[in-house]
Amino acid sequence: MNNAFPSNPFGGSGFGAGPGGPASAIFDAMDQLRKTFEQRPSGGSRMAKGDVRTAVLSLLTEKPMHGYQIINEIADRSGGSWKPSAGSVYPTLQLLADEGLIEAEEQNGRKTYSLTEAGRAVASEHTETPAPWESQSKGEGSHDNPRYSALPKAGVDLAAAAAAVGRSGSTEQVQQAVEILDDARRRLYSILAQD
C-alpha cells in the first residue's frame, strides 16, 4: 500500500525525533501537505512592479499612509493572497516621490505618504481598471475558495492529530490511526472518482 506514513511509523516507544526517525516521517508529510496547498494556479502571489505602483497610487487616493499600512492594506484587500514585501513597496514609494507623484511627511518618526496634485492626476487615469489586489482576490485563487482555506486547514489539522497519536499513543492506537488515515485517503480519492 502506498501511504504517506509507514505502516507503524512511531513504534511502541513513542515519537522518536532523529533524522530518518519516526518524527521526521510525520514532519515530512506535513511539510509536503503544506507545500501542496501553497501552489497557486496564477503562478503565486508575486505581482509585477507596475502592480505595486498602481496599488500604492490607488490606496493613497483614499488617505495618506505609511509603508507598513500600505503593505497590510494590500494584504487585507487581496484576502491574504498578495502581501508585497517591504523590498518592493519602499523602493516604489521612493520612485514615486522622485517622480513628484507623492510626498512624505514625517510624523512620530514615521514617514506618511500622500499624493501630490500630479499624483492625483496619474491615479485618476487608472480609475476604470480594477485595483491590482482585486484580480488577486477573485476567482479560482480566492482566499474564500475552500481549496485555499478550509481544505488545507482540515488537512493540517488531520496531520496534527496523527502526530499527537504518534507521540502519545500505544502501538494499538497508532495502528488504529493508520487504518483511519488509510480509509480517509481512499474516501477522498473516491470523491474524485465520482461523475
Side-chain angles (χ1 to χ4, degrees), residues 1-183:
M1 105 181 100
N2 184 14
N3 294 334
F5 307 100
S7 62
N8 192 358
F10 307 91
S13 61
F15 197 57
S24 69
I26 193 72
F27 288 124
D28 289 346
M30 287 179 75
D31 192 50
Q32 183 178 358
L33 180 68
R34 180 185 54 78
K35 287 178 182 174
T36 298
F37 285 108
E38 282 180 347
Q39 298 170 357
R40 300 280 196 234
S42 63
S45 62
R46 289 186 73 78
M47 296 292 283
K49 288 184 193 254
D51 291 327
V52 174
R53 175 187 171 95
T54 302
V56 169
L57 288 171
S58 180
L59 287 173
L60 292 180
T61 62
E62 297 173 14
K63 65 179 182 179
M65 295 183 188
H66 56 77
Y68 185 70
Q69 282 177 299
I70 291 169
I71 292 168
N72 286 330
E73 195 65 33
I74 292 171
D76 287 346
R77 293 185 188 203
S78 69
S81 65
W82 177 34
K83 184 172 184 178
S85 68
S88 64
V89 170
Y90 285 101
T92 300
L93 289 167
Q94 184 59 53
L95 181 65
L96 291 170
D98 292 346
E99 293 174 8
L101 301 179
I102 65 171
E103 57 191 3
E105 182 180 312
E106 191 154 338
Q107 297 174 334
N108 301 326
R110 182 177 270 173
K111 285 185 180 179
T112 300
Y113 300 90
S114 59
L115 292 175
T116 62
E117 285 305 313
R120 288 190 196 293
V122 170
S124 70
E125 295 171 7
H126 298 287
T127 56
E128 299 300 314
T129 59
W133 55 78
E134 290 176 4
S135 64
Q136 284 290 299
S137 63
K138 292 183 178 168
E140 184 71 15
S142 173
H143 181 69
D144 294 330
N145 186 323
R147 179 180 303 224
Y148 299 109
S149 56
L151 185 59
K153 181 183 181 323
V156 170
D157 290 348
L158 178 64
V165 172
R167 277 191 305 272
S168 306
S170 67
T171 302
E172 294 78 24
Q173 290 170 324
V174 167
Q175 189 56 43
Q176 286 176 330
V178 168
E179 291 168 11
I180 290 169
L181 292 173
D182 284 345
D183 182 55

